Amino acid sequence: MKAVVYREPYSVAIDEVDRPTIQHPNDVVVRVTSTAICGSDLHMYEGRTAAEPGIVFGHENLGIVEELGSGVTSLNRGDRVVMPFNVACGFCKNCLAGNTGFCLTVNPGFAGGAYGYVAMGPYSGGQAEYLRVPFADFNCLKLPNDGSHEADFVLLADIFPTGYHGCELAQVSPGESVVVYGAGPVGLMAAYSAMLRGAARVFCVDRIPERLAKAEQIGAIPIDFSKGDPVEMIKDQTDGEGTDKGVDAVGYQAQVGDASKEEPAIVLNSVIQTVRPTGRIGVPGLYVPSDPGGVDEHAKQGMLRVAIGKMFEKGQVMGTGQCNVKRYNRQLRDMIIAGRAKPSFVVSHELSLSDAPDAYRKFDQRVEGYTKVVLHP
């Protein structure tokens, strides 16, 4: 079958790889109909992780069940399903507590597994024609079989729940003001989720005009940090107090205002400065324990200069960590079906799998208009 295979930094190719098979009675094989390129994939694409050549990318996957293991009980051939990027067992201590992003079963020696991602277990990615799904009864979320909402439903695998998770970590409540740093796909989903949760005002900070325009389109207040200090711009609009809550949807590859260099802690420190005393901060943006391309020796070891003293002084609370997609995806699916949510506004391009190498290049270079790319094998 055809799949998107990592070759070397800044290079992926469409290669022929072995089609997955049933390896355990609880497996299914899914024919992929939609899969998306994630900002997290770009970290591997750029060589900023320990990803080895040959890995098949793709952790945002939707498709049709074609083969079932003998132990699968809740699924049938022909079912349309979306898979959380978290591969989880459903029965370990963390899964039973709802922390499925930190499953203790699927990746021995490490808390958590994922499709097509470095260090996240032996699970091939879904930027391919077929995908093996382990513990399928637990990991597959059924969707209407009518083919509806394809571009909305594929976002349930990662970015819609992850944006919502950022708001959950920050405990965004009705009537509050919220700042979201980053207007990429996850940032836009965080801003959108904040409004779904009843936030009165949502500020969205970025420097790319197309992304800021999408933020404004959904009712957020765009803040262009290339034109000045976003902390001061937001405080000017909140009577000097700052926002009630904040979300960092950028992560460790954050850049200074003119994009001339990376400053990995700049967003964390800006959120701390922007959120008022006793406010809460959610960090779904990715931070890693090692970064081969880090700006200095500390950054290469995942150690950043964060203003923890200021955070302590202000009495703020910060929540971090990978999203537990299954905690949110069922309710978000039902909101899509009911017409109360349409996250696909963030999708900028729907392309064939063969277009993936060019799409990666353009997405990585922030070519105009490239916000979220969905591939169709």
Side-chain angles (χ1 to χ4, degrees):
M1 69 171 184
K2 291 181 172 59
V4 177
V5 178
Y6 175 63
R7 293 278 183 85
E8 60 185 3
Y10 300 100
S11 177
V12 295
I14 305 300
D15 286 348
E16 286 288 334
V17 302
D18 292 339
R19 175 174 164 165
T21 60
I22 300 294
Q23 298 181 21
H24 186 278
N26 290 330
D27 289 350
V28 299
V29 173
V30 170
R31 175 174 58 83
V32 178
T33 57
S34 290
T35 180
I37 299 176
C38 182
S40 298
D41 292 326
L42 296 184
H43 301 312
M44 296 186 292
Y45 174 76
E46 294 171 352
R48 297 292 291 269
T49 72
E52 296 285 343
I55 184 174
V56 175
F57 286 169
H59 58 266
E60 301 182 43
N61 308 305
L62 180 156
I64 307 298
V65 176
E66 291 222 341
E67 299 178 37
L68 298 113
S70 60
V72 176
T73 61
S74 65
L75 300 168
N76 296 295
R77 290 180 180 84
D79 282 346
R80 184 181 182 217
V81 293
V82 63
M83 283 65 66
F85 76 87
N86 319 116
V87 180
C89 69
F91 54 76
C92 73
K93 179 188 295 185
N94 283 349
C95 284
L96 290 173
N99 297 316
T100 54
F102 302 89
C103 177
L104 301 172
T105 303
V106 297
N107 190 11
F110 189 89
Y115 303 99
Y117 206 84
V118 58
M120 297 297 282
Y123 307 102
S124 187
Q127 289 174 18
E129 295 177 288
Y130 294 89
L131 176 72
R132 180 179 76 91
V133 181
F135 301 103
D137 287 310
F138 187 71
N139 287 313
C140 290
L141 177 68
K142 287 186 182 181
L143 303 170
N145 272 343
D146 59 5
S148 63
H149 301 293
E150 183 87 0
D152 293 304
F153 286 146
V154 72
L155 304 183
L156 292 173
D158 185 352
I159 67 162
F160 192 12
T162 296
Y164 196 91
H165 179 61
C167 292
E168 182 72 11
L169 290 170
Q171 295 187 7
V172 173
S173 299
E176 292 186 318
S177 59
V178 182
V179 61
V180 177
Y181 276 82
V186 170
L188 288 169
M189 289 295 96
Y192 188 54
S193 297
M195 286 182 278
L196 289 175
R197 293 169 67 103
R201 285 193 295 172
V202 179
F203 299 92
C204 209
V205 182
D206 208 295
R207 62 177 176 81
I208 298 176
E210 294 79 18
R211 293 181 172 185
L212 291 169
K214 282 187 178 289
E216 189 170 28
Q217 172 190 325
I218 60 171
I221 301 166
I223 301 292
D224 186 345
F225 74 89
S226 70
K227 296 182 178 178
D229 182 356
V231 177
E232 294 305 315
M233 286 191 274
I234 292 168
K235 285 192 173 182
D236 286 345
Q237 298 184 58
T238 55
D239 297 324
E241 182 180 70
T243 60
D244 298 307
K245 303 292 172 62
V247 177
D248 171 3
V250 178
Y252 74 107
Q253 286 188 265
Q255 297 177 330
V256 297
D258 63 3
S260 61
K261 64 177 182 177
E262 286 187 8
E263 192 171 320
I266 192 170
V267 167
L268 283 171
N269 289 326
S270 294
V271 176
I272 290 168
Q273 293 288 345
T274 307
V275 173
R276 65 170 174 81
T278 74
R280 297 185 70 98
I281 298 167
V283 185
L286 180 66
Y287 290 89
V288 294
S290 63
D291 173 15
V295 296
D296 56 35
E297 288 307 310
H298 290 292
K300 289 178 181 179
Q301 298 176 60
M303 295 186 289
L304 309 181
R305 298 182 64 178
V306 178
I308 190 68
K310 177 59 68 175
M311 182 180 167
F312 182 91
E313 178 185 72
K314 296 177 77 171
Q316 296 169 334
V317 176
M318 180 182 290
T320 69
Q322 181 173 280
C323 176
N324 304 302
V325 172
K326 280 190 69 66
R327 181 176 291 180
Y328 314 111
N329 67 354
R330 185 177 299 273
Q331 70 193 64
L332 296 177
R333 175 202 63 185
D334 292 346
M335 291 179 73
I336 292 170
I337 293 171
R340 294 188 56 215
K342 191 169 181 59
S344 59
F345 75 86
V346 77
V347 175
S348 60
H349 293 76
E350 295 190 57
L351 306 170
S352 71
L353 191 68
S354 62
D355 293 319
D358 187 53
Y360 264 93
R361 179 182 61 81
K362 290 179 177 177
F363 190 21
D364 182 65
Q365 294 175 355
R366 307 295 189 268
V367 170
E368 181 177 347
Y370 273 73
T371 305
K372 183 65 174 176
V373 179
V374 173
L375 303 171
H376 300 292

